[in-house]
Amino acid sequence: MTLEASMPAPSSPERRLAKDSVGLAHIVFFVVAAAAPLTAVVGASPAAFAFGNGAGVPGAFVLAGLLYLLFSVGFTAMSRHVGGAGAFYTYITHGIGKPAGVGGAFMALVTYSAVQIAIYGLFGFFMANAIAPLGLVLPWWAWAFAALVVVLVCGQRNIAFSGAILGVCMIAEIAILLVLDLAIVFSGGGPEGISFSSFAPSSVFAPGLGVALVFVIGSFIGFEATAIFGEEAEDPEKTIPRATYVAVLLITLFYAFSTWAIVQFYGPGKVQAAAAASLDSFYFTAANSVLGAWSSQAMNVLLITSLFACILSFHNTLNRYFFALGREAQVLGKVHAKHGSPYAAGLLQSLIAAVVLGLFVIFGADPYTVVFSWMAALAGIGILLVQVLVSVAIIMFFRKTPNSYSAWTTMTAPTLALLGLMGSLVLVSSNLSLLSGSESLIVKAFPYAMVLVGILGALFAIRIKRSKPALYASLGKVFE
């Protein structure tokens, strides 16, 4: 009996994820939690204000939101034709071909792993600083590994369990920022009053827009996770498109409103200088002034829960990528008998994260300036490369697949998204030193390294074609 014949079929219960286990709200929670609103606003936007287009940052968030709404047009249309836990891997396989699909999957795995490791580093950094005054002094990596264990346990449970946790964390972190935003608005703003100049073309397209977009684009990473839960979603043909649009709109509106409110506090003419002078306390200063000391303390606590929610979201995303590849390659395709979760894939990717974190610890890497900054820069390059491939795949898929969609859905919107993503990729690649805070040759090599990862994935697929033609023929079809 051959190995292929002895393995369970993809459709057998032990190789299928729990169907109808998540609804639209759960999926939106996963996506918005992955975007980590509090971390993105408090952590990333001050740099965009300081080094980018200043008061025009809220408009930059709107531009990025429009770009991803364009991307979502073809993305959600294609989701009705392909499904399963593979998401980008499945899209690229069906649109461009199997070697490109596996190459894209390899890049996606590296990208999401980099995000997760970056957030582990940041979580450890903030936890160590927050707990030390209470008398418990532990190194950052102790908290990072503790979080890894908790996240692994949560990931083994039914997906709805993680969705409930993410929902609570997300609502709390959004609430504290909204309270600050509304307090600024109802108090009449700062020294320059209330204005909407942040959305004026002269402010948005001011010098530094490209630099601002480097930070802004990274704040949207993870929105594509809607498609990853297609196999587990209730009525996926309707739920996935709706969840995608709702998530992108929520993220865009929230980021734009929060950054606009902080511009009102400092004043459009002074916000850039204020951010440059106090990147780490930019929002906390405003919270202390408008709401009182309790708010900055609450914000510190919620920043930690935001980071945990972000890790948990990307853990579940990575699980499903490993599961998708593992199910097709007939390894790692096992699901939990009780919870219907991809527990074998979760164990593997947690082990990989532990090994990488361990290497950072051995080499004495700083959790903020190296672990977080470097891994975030690598992830920014990786996600844009994969999204460019997906845009090409969408166009190619609809050119060869009979459909009833308009040219706007199948060609115009995906092409505009492709051009926008390629432009963003150039901007991020040319500003890596600013994004990572390092002039290291390793960081400068990230774009080439990520392309190499994609090439290695494609070569791996070609090798499978030669050595196991039956397995190669099934790639990308297990979800149909």
Side-chain angles (χ1 to χ4, degrees):
M1 180 179 290
T2 64
L3 175 64
E4 286 83 357
S6 66
M7 294 299 293
S11 58
S12 62
E14 64 268 31
R15 299 178 73 80
R16 300 290 295 182
L17 298 175
K19 188 175 177 61
D20 296 333
S21 56
V22 288
L24 185 145
H26 281 122
I27 296 173
V28 171
F29 285 158
F30 271 102
V31 174
V32 178
L38 189 61
T39 304
V41 171
V42 175
S45 73
F49 279 114
F51 309 121
N53 57 342
V57 167
F61 274 108
V62 173
L63 285 180
L66 290 174
L67 170 61
Y68 282 119
L69 284 174
L70 282 173
F71 177 86
S72 298
V73 172
F75 182 69
T76 55
M78 191 169 169
S79 72
R80 295 182 172 93
H81 297 265
V82 299
F88 282 168
Y89 158 59
T90 316
Y91 279 67
I92 298 169
T93 298
H94 281 264
I96 302 176
K98 294 165 185 176
V102 176
F106 275 39
M107 287 194 291
L109 285 172
V110 172
T111 295
Y112 291 130
S113 295
V115 173
Q116 193 179 37
I117 291 163
I119 302 303
Y120 274 127
L122 203 59
F123 178 88
F125 173 79
F126 280 112
M127 274 296 291
N129 289 339
I131 300 298
L134 302 178
L136 182 58
V137 180
L138 292 174
W140 70 268
W141 52 263
W143 295 108
F145 280 110
L148 188 149
V149 173
V150 175
V151 166
L152 173 61
V153 172
C154 291
Q156 302 290 293
R157 299 288 301 274
N158 183 282
I159 190 67
F161 177 79
S162 293
I165 294 176
L166 295 175
V168 172
C169 292
M170 184 195 76
I171 290 170
E173 61 182 293
I174 286 178
I176 189 67
L177 277 174
L178 279 179
V179 169
L180 173 60
D181 298 340
L182 293 174
I184 291 172
V185 173
F186 286 118
S187 67
E192 299 178 42
I194 299 290
S195 78
F196 294 93
S197 60
S198 290
F199 303 104
S202 58
S203 295
V204 178
F205 295 97
L209 172 61
V211 176
L213 285 174
V214 170
F215 296 95
V216 168
I217 291 291
S219 299
F220 282 81
I221 188 169
F223 85 92
E224 70 285 346
T226 53
I228 291 175
F229 300 102
E231 188 172 320
E232 298 157 281
E234 300 168 356
D235 193 7
E237 288 192 1
K238 294 181 179 178
T239 301
I240 299 305
R242 288 174 182 173
T244 304
Y245 284 118
V246 169
V248 174
L249 284 170
L250 277 178
I251 292 171
T252 302
L253 293 174
F254 182 74
Y255 286 165
F257 180 64
S258 292
T259 52
W260 171 78
I262 205 70
V263 169
Q264 307 316 301
F265 175 80
Y266 287 103
K270 299 178 181 178
V271 67
Q272 189 163 33
S278 55
L279 286 173
D280 56 345
S281 60
F282 184 63
Y283 276 87
F284 296 104
T285 298
N288 278 330
S289 174
V290 177
L291 299 175
W294 70 268
S295 60
S296 60
Q297 294 169 355
M299 203 174 284
N300 267 313
V301 173
L302 291 173
L303 183 60
I304 292 173
T305 63
S306 170
L307 291 169
F308 177 81
C310 183
I311 296 171
L312 181 57
S313 181
F314 278 107
H315 175 83
N316 281 285
T317 297
L318 270 167
N319 282 0
R320 280 144 187 83
Y321 262 99
F322 275 110
F323 172 79
L325 289 172
R327 184 165 59 178
E328 296 207 328
Q330 300 174 347
V331 291
L332 300 177
K334 296 180 181 179
V335 299
H336 197 284
K338 179 180 178 181
H339 300 297
S341 61
Y343 74 95
L347 288 170
L348 174 65
Q349 69 105 342
S350 294
L351 177 62
I352 293 172
V355 170
V356 176
L357 280 172
L359 290 173
F360 276 122
V361 173
I362 290 171
F363 287 101
D366 182 84
Y368 191 90
T369 60
V370 177
V371 180
F372 172 71
S373 298
W374 286 28
M375 291 296 95
L378 178 62
I381 290 291
I383 197 63
L384 285 169
L385 277 170
V386 175
Q387 289 170 348
V388 164
L389 277 178
V390 172
S391 295
V392 173
I394 292 169
I395 295 169
M396 293 180 66
F397 177 81
F398 284 118
R399 288 193 65 181
K400 62 185 179 183
T401 304
N403 63 84
S404 58
Y405 300 114
S406 66
W408 165 256
T409 299
T410 60
M411 179 59 69
T412 307
T415 300
L416 291 173
L418 173 61
L419 294 174
L421 289 167
M422 290 176 67
S424 299
L425 179 60
V426 171
L427 287 172
V428 173
S429 299
S430 59
N431 288 281
L432 269 183
S433 59
L434 183 62
L435 183 61
S436 65
S438 171
E439 294 287 346
S440 169
L441 291 177
I442 297 175
V443 173
K444 292 179 180 179
F446 280 168
Y448 309 102
M450 192 60 75
V451 170
L452 180 61
V453 167
I455 293 172
L456 289 175
L459 292 175
F460 178 70
I462 293 171
R463 181 174 177 272
I464 292 177
K465 182 179 182 180
R466 293 173 179 171
S467 61
K468 298 180 180 179
L471 177 59
Y472 181 83
S474 72
L475 291 180
K477 294 183 179 179
V478 74
F479 309 111
E480 293 180 349

